[in-house]
Amino acid sequence: MSARLSSTKARAALGTSARVSVELLLVFVMVAVALWMLGRMWSVVWPLVVGLLLTTLTWPLARLLRRHGWPPALAASAVTVLFLLVAAGVVALIAVPVASQSGELSEGVVQGIQQVREWAAGPPLNIGDDQITGAFDAAVERIQDSAGSMVTAVVTGVGTVVNGVVTAVLALFLMFFFLKDGPRFLPWLTRQLPGSLATHVPVVAARGWNTLGAFVRSQAFVGLIDAVFIGIGLWILGVPLVLPLAVLTFVSAFVPIVGALFAGLVAVLIALVSNGPTDALIVLAIIIVVQQLEGNVFQPMIQGRGLGLHAAVILLAVTLGGSLAGIVGSLLAVPVAALIAVVWAYLREHLSDPEPEPEPAAEPEPEPGRDPETGAAHPGAAVAS
């Protein structure tokens, strides 16, 4: 006997599907509006984000000083000054050795270019000096023709540098205020929100703060692993500027993908101009192996354990963030995904139905003629029987 389709159930299913579709469409519209507003306020949001990330990195020291009786303003000032000194020391650690060996490096670059020309002149390329000169003249002519666009690019680059300096200064000021007044934020937020939001939002904010701290610490640890292994490889090969290259590798680890490529390119170039093409290829192989281990083993394991995210989620988040917002998107993809996971876990905790409590076992009924509490027979039970 074939079952017939119930028109009532079909209309109910279609109505439910339509209602859910409209609700999802409204959610997508709200997300799009929020992203548009975020883009319009990016000049303020980006320093705020950088300040928060720097605060998660420096807060343990500020908290230690405050526990030892330091006033909040003094502890925040000391930590901020120490951070500036460390940042200046890192820059000096990179710039001073490079400046002291700039002459040697420039000579190596000239020799490297000459070696490339000699190699290109031989088989199998057999490129003569006249061809190289013609290509050089064509490149110069093309550069002269595009002088206007180059000026525009230079102006854009200068504007980017200025914006970067302004962002760094604002982020440092925000870091100071976060270190000074951060513990008072959640109580203040609790007083400002109405009803149940005063309970839920501070809890989510506290969990998000712990998540950001886990991200920064894990990223720093991954950068330290890269710097140590690549630095050891460069030291074994006798490549100059080992310490500056290791520091550059550590710092660039905070910018996913592009930072690693930049640090690796610098290391290979220095190995090429100082030790020759063989050592440069070995350095390239070391960097590729370390980066593959970091990207496929260490980073997913460390970040996944600290953020509660699966390695596949981290990989997809970095890919999506990079495609949407470039370097900044790659940098913020993992912490944003972790914050979304925190919000979703909290919502799931409070929206899930509570597990039903087990029903108490039914007590056995007492036998006739016995006391219900002690189970002893009544004195008159035998007489009555």
Side-chain angles (χ1 to χ4, degrees):
M1 182 178 179
S2 60
R4 292 182 300 174
L5 181 64
S6 173
S7 59
T8 304
K9 292 183 178 181
R11 285 195 299 269
L14 289 175
T16 303
S17 301
R19 186 177 68 255
V20 172
S21 300
V22 171
E23 292 173 353
L24 288 176
L25 182 61
L26 290 177
V27 170
F28 289 148
V29 170
M30 292 177 61
V31 170
V33 171
L35 292 176
W36 177 81
M37 294 177 62
L38 186 66
R40 300 292 295 179
M41 299 185 299
W42 188 248
S43 59
V44 177
V45 173
W46 179 231
L48 178 63
V49 172
V50 176
L52 283 174
L53 294 178
L54 294 180
T55 305
T56 58
L57 190 62
T58 55
W59 171 245
L61 180 57
R63 180 177 54 192
L64 179 65
L65 295 178
R66 295 172 68 138
R67 287 178 178 176
H68 283 76
W70 287 48
L74 182 60
S77 301
V79 173
T80 303
V81 171
L82 180 61
F83 176 80
L84 289 175
L85 292 176
V86 171
V90 169
V91 173
L93 200 61
I94 296 176
V96 173
V98 171
S100 63
Q101 300 185 20
S102 59
E104 178 183 350
L105 290 176
S106 61
E107 293 178 0
V109 170
V110 173
Q111 294 177 2
I113 294 175
Q114 184 62 31
Q115 291 177 2
V116 171
R117 291 187 62 178
E118 293 176 357
W119 172 77
L125 298 180
N126 297 321
I127 300 177
D129 290 340
D130 53 346
Q131 294 174 308
I132 296 177
T133 303
F136 181 77
D137 293 338
V140 170
E141 183 179 356
R142 185 172 181 178
I143 291 175
Q144 291 176 350
D145 294 337
S146 59
S149 60
M150 289 181 62
V151 171
T152 304
V154 170
V155 173
T156 304
V158 172
T160 303
V161 172
V162 172
N163 290 335
V165 172
V166 172
T167 299
V169 173
L170 288 177
L172 285 175
F173 277 103
L174 290 174
M175 182 187 76
F176 169 78
F177 288 116
F178 290 155
L179 292 175
K180 175 178 173 291
D181 301 323
R184 294 189 292 180
F185 174 72
L186 290 182
W188 173 85
L189 186 61
T190 302
R191 293 191 302 268
Q192 305 303 315
L193 295 174
S196 60
L197 291 178
T199 302
H200 299 307
V201 174
V203 173
V204 174
R207 293 186 183 183
W209 171 258
N210 295 332
T211 299
L212 286 178
F215 166 73
V216 174
R217 288 190 295 270
S218 62
Q219 198 71 17
F221 188 70
V222 169
L224 182 62
I225 292 176
D226 288 353
V228 169
F229 281 104
I230 293 177
I232 291 175
L234 296 176
W235 176 71
I236 292 175
L237 293 175
V239 178
L241 305 175
V242 174
L243 188 57
L245 289 175
V247 173
L248 180 62
T249 302
F250 172 77
V251 174
S252 63
F254 289 91
V255 182
I257 303 173
V258 177
L261 291 175
F262 173 73
L265 177 62
V266 173
V268 171
L269 179 61
I270 292 179
L272 175 64
V273 301
S274 60
N275 292 31
T278 302
D279 286 353
L281 292 176
I282 296 176
V283 170
L284 179 60
I286 292 173
I287 292 174
I288 291 176
V289 170
V290 172
Q291 292 296 332
Q292 289 299 315
L293 288 175
E294 177 249 315
N296 298 311
V297 180
F298 296 121
Q299 188 171 15
M301 288 177 57
I302 296 172
Q303 286 190 347
R305 187 178 305 152
L307 302 181
L309 295 177
H310 192 272
V313 176
I314 293 177
L315 180 61
L316 292 175
V318 172
T319 303
L320 179 61
S323 62
L324 293 178
I327 300 176
V328 176
S330 300
L331 176 63
L332 300 180
V334 177
V336 168
L339 291 177
I340 294 175
V342 167
V343 175
W344 170 248
Y346 188 81
L347 291 175
R348 187 176 57 188
E349 291 176 5
H350 289 78
L351 295 179
S352 300
D353 294 330
E355 296 183 359
E357 297 182 359
E359 297 181 358
E363 298 182 358
E365 296 183 358
E367 297 180 5
R370 291 184 178 274
D371 187 84
E373 295 183 358
T374 62
H378 291 292
V383 177
S385 61

